[in-house]
Amino acid sequence: MTFPVVGMVGGGQLARMTHEAGIPLGIKFKLLSDTPADSAAQVVSEVVIGDYRDLDTLRDFASGCDVITFDHEHVPLEHLRALEADGIAVRPGPDALRYAQDKGAMRERLTELGAPCPRHRIVRDVADVVAFAEEGEGFPVILKTVRGGYDGKGVWFVRSEADAADPFRAGVPVLAEEKVDFVRELAANVVRSPHGQAVAYPVVESRQVDGVCDTVIAPAPELSSELAGSAQELALRIAHELGVVGHLAVELFETPDGRILVNELAMRPHNSGHWTMDGAVTSQFANHVRAVLDLPLGDPRPRATWTVMANVLGGDYPDMYSAYLHCMARDPQLKIHMYGKDVKPGRKVGHVNTYGDDLGDVLERASHAAGYLRGTITE
Amino acid sequence: MTFPVVGMVGGGQLARMTHEAGIPLGIKFKLLSDTPADSAAQVVSEVVIGDYRDLDTLRDFASGCDVITFDHEHVPLEHLRALEADGIAVRPGPDALRYAQDKGAMRERLTELGAPCPRHRIVRDVADVVAFAEEGEGFPVILKTVRGGYDGKGVWFVRSEADAADPFRAGVPVLAEEKVDFVRELAANVVRSPHGQAVAYPVVESRQVDGVCDTVIAPAPELSSELAGSAQELALRIAHELGVVGHLAVELFETPDGRILVNELAMRPHNSGHWTMDGAVTSQFANHVRAVLDLPLGDPRPRATWTVMANVLGGDYPDMYSAYLHCMARDPQLKIHMYGKDVKPGRKVGHVNTYGDDLGDVLERASHAAGYLRGTITE
């Protein structure tokens, strides 16, 4: 056995951070990226520029790799099945990825498994939406295109029948879900390898602003050990039953009566796991690489009492370097992770991690740095 | 100000790990490497293949960089002065680097500063060596070529007059030093930026086998806080007086009567600082990058009670992948850092870090992994 080649499809920040984690592992890392300016393409030595929707491009790329994995979930399943038929190891494989690509299939499968989900139904038109609402608590309801959504895109908060027509315009099947009355959002992140080893990270709290992840707190404060344990067990069971290989993020709602419901699945390193880069013994990126290579997994336990991750979004200033210098001077313990992306308002261009024993302090330091980099805090 | 370009001369593992540390910082990293197979050239996107001894090559390389720094100390000083005359920021600069390149100049300057050094003298021939020995405790004495040595190369342990001729054959000036009676070797590592900010890492114990660093323990066990403090102060003073920018390793002898003497200086990230990658809030590589960019420095404090680094040397087996898998399975907390280098007997091809509260356990885990990877431990 020699040190293998991992091919990652997609050149975003997840690929950038996976490459970073792969360097100490001594593996060779190849990237299939849309453009040379993509976040990961800036820092990886072996980059193929090409379109992941083109099977020939994928085949050429995969021929030099021992395993193919993903920065995103958009590669057509039929292409992945063709690669598997060619003898390429595709991890996670298409049989698992279909549940990350199709929210309707995901809800159906999770319900079969007895995993707690919001009430849901595939709807064909506005009349279906009205019927779905009336069978429950009425409006509002949530409508989602079954494919292609992320970070609040492809999701509609529908207050009345009059709002319900928009989601149907794209011609993609639409999933209706009850508006869950939740106290907060959690994420249970696990990593699973082909030989069935799996590790569970501490359950985290994820705070959203305008549908985009703002802050992640690890571990989730004041979460009972029973609920944390059942969230971890649920995520491990989903990974096992769906045959996920690599990192699986299970986004959850915690309800006022102390239950959890599955919100979304992501079968790749995930924003809710970025805290692990500085806060866990083994980061989600290192464990994702180890999993797709069927190497023994690393310890997922936290290294600090509290770790907080705050996303850095683009603001009005196109260059963050001065703010970045200021943040380093203010907090010598701050861990900054920049993605090399052009700043656009609202775009995720980096994140910061802080850790320590005092949650208030750790939260303040992360929020201050993220706000200062964005330009919403100026002192 | 925009995110700058750091150019590193030399494609070894120090450059590889500097690139890894630069990715989250969002800087652009360019490499001047001897060959595309070099450790860092395998993982960096922007690599120029060329000879660092050629001024035109250096000039071309430097023209696209905001600052030039080094993986090694072998770039001719006159070339660095030429780059500075062109307006390039060279960090550390030639006025500092001359003391890392020339052990004679280093001893002279440190003695002027009152830094404690072994008794030493430039010697021209065997008669000089005999005279030097007789003025002290007699043989053995240490002879060193003033330039080009590392990892025990260029260093002779001379037991008698009959052994003393060899070092003169290369035609390089030779430095004689007393054989210091030391209880152990220490290293005081500091990082200094152009605006004069400096941080000191905990003083570490460095254990050598056959003249090559085998294990580093952070912090050095049972070192009095007085001696640790004076070692840190000494290293900070040397960095200041010599105008070092970036990481400075001061290798030290601890004597039986509780003094420290300066053994060697290295003006770059250093093997005795590899433990910081997993054991300190900010690694030596991240702080080296921050320093050469004149960014505020990161916290150098340890994250664990004990961190141990063990070098992985090549053994008889050319492929370590099976052993690597075994080590991951045995110790899920083990941090492996492979350099992507071909295995040759005795060559440094990686290192491992372990950390925890029990030094015996931490040492055993690191030594076991390094020995298993080398092939000297088989169970």
Side-chain angles (χ1 to χ4, degrees):
Chain A
M1 276 197 289
T2 57
F3 283 78
V5 182
V6 173
M8 197 166 223
V9 178
Q13 64 261 29
L14 301 177
R16 181 184 175 100
M17 294 185 274
T18 304
H19 175 54
E20 183 190 337
I23 292 174
L25 291 172
I27 59 147
K28 294 168 184 74
F29 189 80
K30 275 183 66 175
L31 189 71
L32 178 63
S33 186
D34 291 342
T35 81
D38 287 359
S39 177
Q42 295 172 30
V43 298
V44 172
S45 51
E46 280 207 65
V47 183
V48 174
I49 303 301
D51 185 346
Y52 64 83
R53 293 166 300 190
D54 178 68
L55 180 56
D56 289 337
T57 301
L58 282 170
R59 278 195 159 125
D60 282 350
F61 176 69
S63 69
C65 300
D66 292 294
V67 60
I68 294 294
T69 189
F70 309 96
D71 166 87
H72 59 67
E73 291 142 341
H74 308 317
V75 183
L77 292 187
E78 62 272 23
H79 291 359
L80 298 181
R81 294 196 203 284
L83 293 179
E84 284 196 328
D86 292 346
I88 305 289
V90 177
R91 292 171 180 169
D95 291 341
L97 272 173
R98 66 173 293 232
Y99 301 109
Q101 289 192 358
D102 183 325
K103 297 184 203 296
M106 182 266 279
R107 284 289 179 228
E108 188 179 355
R109 184 82 177 100
L110 290 183
T111 304
E112 278 172 20
L113 296 175
C117 289
R119 194 171 69 86
H120 59 273
R121 184 181 309 152
I122 294 290
V123 286
R124 272 160 238 281
D125 52 28
V126 172
D128 270 4
V129 177
V130 172
F132 176 80
E134 288 176 351
E135 285 169 34
E137 306 287 318
F139 285 98
V141 298
I142 307 295
L143 297 184
K144 299 175 173 178
T145 53
V146 298
R147 286 192 298 277
Y150 67 96
D151 274 356
K153 293 178 184 67
V155 178
W156 289 262
F157 183 84
V158 174
R159 288 186 173 74
S160 68
E161 182 176 345
D163 293 344
D166 272 2
F168 296 97
R169 296 193 208 286
V172 177
V174 174
L175 179 72
E177 294 185 350
E178 66 173 321
K179 165 71 181 74
V180 175
D181 180 25
F182 60 88
V183 291
R184 59 176 168 175
E185 294 188 51
L186 303 171
N189 291 340
V190 298
V191 184
R192 182 176 173 273
S193 50
H195 74 283
Q197 189 193 5
V199 294
Y201 285 99
V203 175
V204 298
E205 176 176 337
S206 175
R207 296 183 179 173
Q208 320 287 314
V209 173
D210 299 331
V212 176
C213 175
D214 181 77
T215 310
V216 169
I217 305 171
E222 295 176 43
L223 183 67
S224 72
S225 59
E226 291 75 18
L227 205 56
S230 30
Q232 288 179 314
E233 276 172 33
L234 176 63
L236 289 167
R237 192 155 67 85
I238 292 171
H240 174 73
E241 293 285 353
L242 271 47
V244 178
V245 171
H247 190 268
L248 170 71
V250 181
E251 296 185 85
L252 299 162
F253 296 122
E254 182 182 355
T255 64
D257 57 349
R259 292 175 305 126
I260 48 174
L261 298 175
V262 176
N263 180 16
E264 302 277 359
L265 303 183
M267 295 180 191
R268 49 171 172 75
H270 188 256
N271 203 165
S272 63
H274 289 359
W275 69 274
T276 61
M277 298 177 83
D278 301 297
V281 176
T282 314
S283 79
Q284 64 165 348
F285 299 101
N287 262 339
H288 184 78
V289 171
R290 287 162 77 147
V292 302
L293 289 171
D294 209 11
L295 287 166
L297 300 177
D299 191 333
R301 281 178 294 180
R303 288 195 70 176
T305 311
W306 299 106
T307 304
V308 168
M309 189 280 321
N311 278 319
V312 177
L313 303 186
D316 294 331
Y317 300 100
D319 195 324
M320 289 188 177
Y321 195 71
S322 301
Y324 161 95
L325 193 155
H326 171 93
C327 290
M328 286 186 179
R330 182 182 192 263
D331 183 357
Q333 295 175 50
L334 183 70
K335 308 306 286 184
I336 303 184
H337 299 266
M338 301 302 293
Y339 305 155
K341 292 160 79 170
D342 288 339
V343 172
K344 293 178 189 168
R347 186 185 203 194
K348 283 184 197 168
V349 296
H351 71 270
V352 296
N353 285 332
T354 54
Y355 55 82
D357 292 328
D358 177 342
L359 179 56
D361 173 66
V362 174
L363 261 172
E364 188 279 333
R365 288 164 49 217
S367 299
H368 184 279
Y372 200 93
L373 286 164
R374 188 177 188 174
T376 53
I377 295 173
T378 53
E379 63 179 350
Chain B
M1 276 197 288
T2 57
F3 282 78
V5 182
V6 173
M8 197 166 222
V9 178
Q13 64 262 29
L14 300 177
R16 180 183 176 101
M17 295 184 275
T18 304
H19 175 54
E20 182 190 338
I23 292 173
L25 291 172
I27 58 146
K28 295 169 185 72
F29 189 80
K30 275 183 65 174
L31 189 71
L32 178 63
S33 187
D34 290 342
T35 82
D38 286 359
S39 176
Q42 295 172 30
V43 298
V44 172
S45 52
E46 279 207 66
V47 183
V48 174
I49 304 301
D51 185 346
Y52 63 84
R53 293 165 300 189
D54 178 68
L55 179 56
D56 288 339
T57 300
L58 283 171
R59 278 196 159 122
D60 281 352
F61 176 69
S63 68
C65 301
D66 292 293
V67 60
I68 295 294
T69 188
F70 309 96
D71 165 88
H72 58 66
E73 292 142 339
H74 308 317
V75 182
L77 291 187
E78 62 271 23
H79 290 0
L80 299 181
R81 294 196 203 286
L83 293 179
E84 284 196 328
D86 292 346
I88 306 289
V90 176
R91 292 172 179 168
D95 292 340
L97 273 173
R98 66 173 291 233
Y99 300 109
Q101 290 191 358
D102 183 325
K103 295 184 205 295
M106 182 266 280
R107 285 289 177 227
E108 188 180 357
R109 184 83 175 98
L110 290 183
T111 304
E112 278 172 18
L113 296 174
C117 290
R119 194 170 69 85
H120 59 275
R121 184 181 310 151
I122 296 289
V123 286
R124 273 159 237 281
D125 52 28
V126 173
D128 270 3
V129 177
V130 172
F132 176 80
E134 288 176 351
E135 285 167 36
E137 307 285 319
F139 286 98
V141 298
I142 308 295
L143 297 183
K144 299 175 174 179
T145 53
V146 297
R147 286 191 299 277
Y150 66 97
D151 273 358
K153 294 177 184 67
V155 178
W156 289 263
F157 183 84
V158 175
R159 288 186 173 75
S160 67
E161 183 176 345
D163 293 344
D166 272 2
F168 296 97
R169 297 192 208 287
V172 177
V174 174
L175 179 72
E177 293 185 352
E178 66 174 321
K179 165 72 181 74
V180 174
D181 180 25
F182 60 88
V183 291
R184 59 176 168 176
E185 295 188 52
L186 303 171
N189 291 339
V190 298
V191 184
R192 182 176 173 274
S193 49
H195 74 282
Q197 190 194 4
V199 295
Y201 285 99
V203 175
V204 299
E205 176 176 336
S206 175
R207 295 182 179 174
Q208 320 287 314
V209 174
D210 299 330
V212 176
C213 175
D214 180 78
T215 310
V216 169
I217 305 172
E222 295 177 45
L223 183 66
S224 72
S225 59
E226 291 75 18
L227 204 57
S230 29
Q232 288 179 313
E233 275 172 34
L234 176 64
L236 289 167
R237 194 154 65 86
I238 292 171
H240 174 73
E241 294 285 353
L242 270 49
V244 178
V245 171
H247 189 269
L248 169 71
V250 180
E251 298 184 84
L252 299 162
F253 296 120
E254 183 183 354
T255 63
D257 57 350
R259 292 174 305 127
I260 48 174
L261 299 175
V262 176
N263 180 15
E264 303 276 358
L265 302 183
M267 296 182 192
R268 49 170 172 75
H270 189 257
N271 204 164
S272 64
H274 288 359
W275 70 274
T276 61
M277 298 177 82
D278 301 297
V281 176
T282 314
S283 79
Q284 64 165 348
F285 299 101
N287 262 339
H288 184 78
V289 171
R290 288 161 76 147
V292 302
L293 289 170
D294 209 10
L295 287 166
L297 299 177
D299 190 332
R301 281 178 294 181
R303 289 195 69 176
T305 311
W306 299 106
T307 304
V308 168
M309 188 282 319
N311 277 319
V312 177
L313 303 187
D316 295 332
Y317 301 101
D319 195 325
M320 288 187 177
Y321 195 70
S322 301
Y324 161 96
L325 193 155
H326 170 92
C327 290
M328 286 185 179
R330 182 180 192 266
D331 183 358
Q333 295 175 49
L334 182 71
K335 308 307 286 184
I336 303 184
H337 299 266
M338 301 302 293
Y339 305 155
K341 292 160 79 170
D342 288 339
V343 173
K344 293 178 188 167
R347 187 184 203 191
K348 283 183 197 167
V349 296
H351 70 270
V352 295
N353 285 332
T354 54
Y355 54 82
D357 292 328
D358 177 342
L359 178 56
D361 173 66
V362 174
L363 261 173
E364 187 281 331
R365 288 164 50 217
S367 299
H368 183 279
Y372 200 94
L373 286 163
R374 187 176 189 176
T376 52
I377 295 173
T378 53
E379 62 178 350

